[in-house]
Amino acid sequence: MVISAIDFAAWGLAADWPSLRWLEPVGGRRNIPVAGVRLGHCSTSAMVLTCTYPRDRFDSQFSGCDPVRELAFETTYTQVNMALHQIRAQGARPDGLIESLVSHATAQAVRYRDWGIAKWGERSAMTTELASWQSGFSLDFADAYVVVHACGIGIDQVRLVPVDDLSGYEVCSDPMKVGAMHWELWPSRPELDYSDLAPHLVTS
């Protein structure tokens, strides 16, 4: 993937502190080559991911559905994945953990109207938390949905700007080859134990 494949305006972090910045394309359905773009920003103590989805492109994938609920699920499902990549516990994973976390992500997405509210500058965002991550999405951007995931910094402290020049972000076409620059391999991320996710386990 080359930067020229991003044919829409992307939103990034308005801050000088990130020591690493990278770009990850978000694949789409129905042969849409780039459904969105994720911009990563991290330092030794914090990481912020900003995700931009063109509205018309996103909505077309979910005709007949509530696109905002689907956006909420994209937010909660990614949040689950990020928390799982922070697990450093020894021993076997608790039975049913993955299924329970997906159920949690689904239930949270359905209830997105009850989420908290944060302000990103002049724009409002609906926010939710899981373990060390705060995540949210905003409907207040023209022509785009914007999702933000933050760890090590409060999501209400996020300030976003349109990124006119993406050349300052390293392109990640193969996440497994990016090393510590990829969010899954962020070397300074807080470590979690299975007990940190236990409140979300579904018990029979």
Side-chain angles (χ1 to χ4, degrees):
M1 201 271 314
V2 294
I3 289 177
S4 60
I6 308 300
D7 58 353
F8 52 88
W11 288 83
L13 190 64
D16 296 328
W17 57 260
S19 54
L20 298 173
R21 297 174 186 261
W22 67 98
L23 178 155
E24 301 171 27
V26 179
R29 299 178 184 176
R30 301 177 185 172
N31 299 317
I32 297 174
V34 181
V37 65
R38 181 179 294 127
L39 300 181
H41 318 76
C42 80
S43 67
T44 57
S45 59
M47 183 164 69
V48 175
L49 299 176
T50 64
C51 313
T52 305
Y53 300 95
R55 285 190 185 226
D56 55 353
R57 202 169 296 183
F58 189 92
D59 290 350
S60 69
Q61 299 181 71
F62 301 106
S63 58
C65 302
D66 176 2
V68 180
R69 187 180 66 185
E70 298 299 332
L71 185 67
F73 180 71
E74 171 70 20
T75 303
T76 57
Y77 186 76
T78 299
Q79 193 179 59
V80 164
N81 281 327
M82 292 188 294
L84 286 172
H85 279 282
Q86 292 175 236
I87 296 292
R88 290 293 182 270
Q90 299 297 316
R93 186 171 63 201
D95 291 341
L97 177 66
I98 301 300
E99 294 83 356
S100 292
L101 289 174
V102 172
S103 295
H104 166 76
T106 303
Q108 284 291 94
V110 169
R111 297 192 297 265
Y112 70 84
R113 293 180 181 86
D114 299 325
W115 291 11
I117 300 295
K119 296 292 289 184
W120 296 342
E122 297 300 316
R123 298 174 173 89
S124 296
M126 289 174 266
T127 65
T128 185
E129 298 183 21
L130 178 67
S132 55
W133 286 93
Q134 295 180 325
S135 303
F137 67 87
S138 177
L139 308 178
D140 290 352
F141 291 79
D143 303 323
Y145 299 122
V146 177
V147 178
V148 174
H149 303 281
C151 183
I153 183 173
I155 200 166
D156 57 343
Q157 300 176 44
V158 168
R159 297 295 179 268
L160 302 177
V161 294
V163 180
D164 297 322
D165 182 6
L166 291 170
S167 63
Y169 290 82
E170 180 160 333
V171 177
C172 302
S173 57
D174 184 351
M176 298 312 295
K177 293 182 179 179
V178 182
M181 289 187 68
H182 189 260
W183 68 263
E184 294 177 357
L185 305 176
W186 179 33
S188 304
R189 66 192 186 278
E191 295 184 2
L192 298 178
D193 193 89
Y194 289 124
S195 60
D196 295 304
L197 302 178
H200 306 294
L201 281 173
V202 175
T203 57
S204 57

